[in-house]
Amino acid sequence: MTVSANPNNDHWLWGVYTNHMVTHSFGDTTFVYNRQSGTTHIFNLVSMAMIEFLSEKPRSMNEIIRDFPAYMGVDAAECPAGVVRRLFGELDEIGLLELVQS
Amino acid sequence: MVEQDNKKEFQERRRQLLRLGAAGVPMVLTLKASAAQPVHSALDCSFVIPTTSNILVDSDGRAWIGSRGVREKSGELKVSDIDKFRQQADFVFPNGSAPSKFRPDTCDTQKGWTTCYRFYEIDSNTNITPADYLNSSGNWSLTGAKGLYLALASQYIDTYGNDGGFPGISCLTSILTYLEYQ
């Protein structure tokens, strides 16, 4: 199953290109315009939470898998690794993730 | 009080989205001028499952798909392996998703081993031809791990349609659509 757009080493830290984003929220939905690509994306509460989580500080893939469930206030079983990896892959694919340190 | 209720409601909406995410539904949509999805037209299509896709099923028909292993001893599965498998799952399906014949017959847990789950293994690069599982009268005859995979894939199509990155979906959709119009 394709779950992540990129290979990941544990010492690679990932952040978000917040400068590239223009956001407008309507209730639970956020429209995100990416200045670099010129494309608009629709985010839900989970994808926005991941953006906020990675905006706090850059994190490695292992840290993201380990800590994102607690950030969301749920058990690891409710937010399994596959969900986190796919979400990471989706954000990476639209060019919003920044490899801060490799 | 109102603020607490709002917070609870907000958390529940996020939980609901996580359940959709566990079934493979995308969390980000992109606005495009046109978004045509290629669909297989051949009914004899087959597809390859690229990575190890093991399936864990509980007595309510909930199912988890993931790449981890679960140790088995005399028909009993190791509880700690099951916990890890569930936490690391790639896809999660709700109650009733796995047909009853794929569910465990008994449910007993003792000393770290349980019979409350059944475990099916599919190796990486496994090829599945859905038409192999149709009998001569055009009904599905799903057996074994690959049959279970097809059963879950068709559940997925019913709920989410031909989208979301579940391997084999467009091939299976073409067959299901064909059968529907027969």
Side-chain angles (χ1 to χ4, degrees), chain B:
Chain B
M1 193 68 179
V2 172
E3 199 175 304
Q4 233 173 19
D5 283 352
N6 285 346
K7 207 176 162 191
K8 229 172 151 179
E9 208 179 280
F10 174 77
Q11 187 66 358
E12 194 41 49
R13 291 204 299 277
R14 293 210 300 196
R15 279 204 158 91
Q16 200 173 21
L17 288 167
L18 279 172
R19 286 196 288 274
L20 293 174
V25 174
M27 296 286 107
V28 176
L29 296 176
T30 297
L31 296 177
K32 287 178 186 168
S34 76
Q37 181 117 12
V39 175
H40 286 271
S41 57
L43 295 178
D44 59 353
C45 60
S46 62
F47 60 89
V48 174
I49 299 180
T51 56
T52 303
S53 297
N54 297 330
I55 307 171
L56 184 72
V57 176
D58 76 4
S59 48
D60 295 321
R62 279 183 87 185
W64 294 260
I65 299 183
S67 57
R68 294 184 71 93
V70 171
R71 277 167 284 184
E72 184 166 357
K73 196 173 76 180
S74 323
E76 297 187 347
L77 299 172
K78 197 163 174 61
V79 171
S80 56
D81 288 354
I82 286 174
D83 291 343
K84 281 190 195 126
F85 189 91
R86 289 175 47 169
Q87 287 176 11
Q88 298 282 321
D90 289 317
F91 293 92
V92 184
F93 289 83
N95 285 357
S97 298
S100 49
K101 69 174 174 183
F102 293 103
R103 302 177 195 175
D105 303 320
T106 58
C107 182
D108 185 32
T109 301
Q110 274 179 36
K111 293 180 184 163
W113 294 83
T114 182
T115 62
C116 298
Y117 293 84
R118 281 180 74 180
F119 190 61
Y120 300 84
E121 293 173 277
I122 299 180
D123 291 337
S124 60
N125 294 320
T126 293
N127 196 304
I128 298 184
T129 306
D132 288 349
Y133 294 85
L134 281 171
N135 64 20
S136 53
S137 32
N139 293 317
W140 290 105
S141 170
L142 300 173
T143 53
K146 291 199 237 175
L148 173 58
Y149 186 91
L150 286 173
L152 294 175
S154 59
Q155 286 279 334
Y156 183 91
I157 292 169
D158 280 350
T159 315
Y160 307 113
N162 182 21
D163 197 5
F166 195 84
I169 285 296
S170 65
C171 166
L172 191 56
T173 301
S174 67
I175 295 174
L176 290 172
T177 308
Y178 173 81
L179 291 173
E180 199 176 319
Y181 290 104
Q182 278 305 286

Side-chain angles (χ1 to χ4, degrees), chain A residues 6-14 60-62 99 101-102:
Chain A
N6 259 321
N8 256 299
N9 287 332
D10 193 37
H11 58 277
W12 291 1
L13 297 182
W14 298 90
S60 71
M61 191 69 214
N62 281 352
L99 182 57
Q101 180 195 314
S102 67

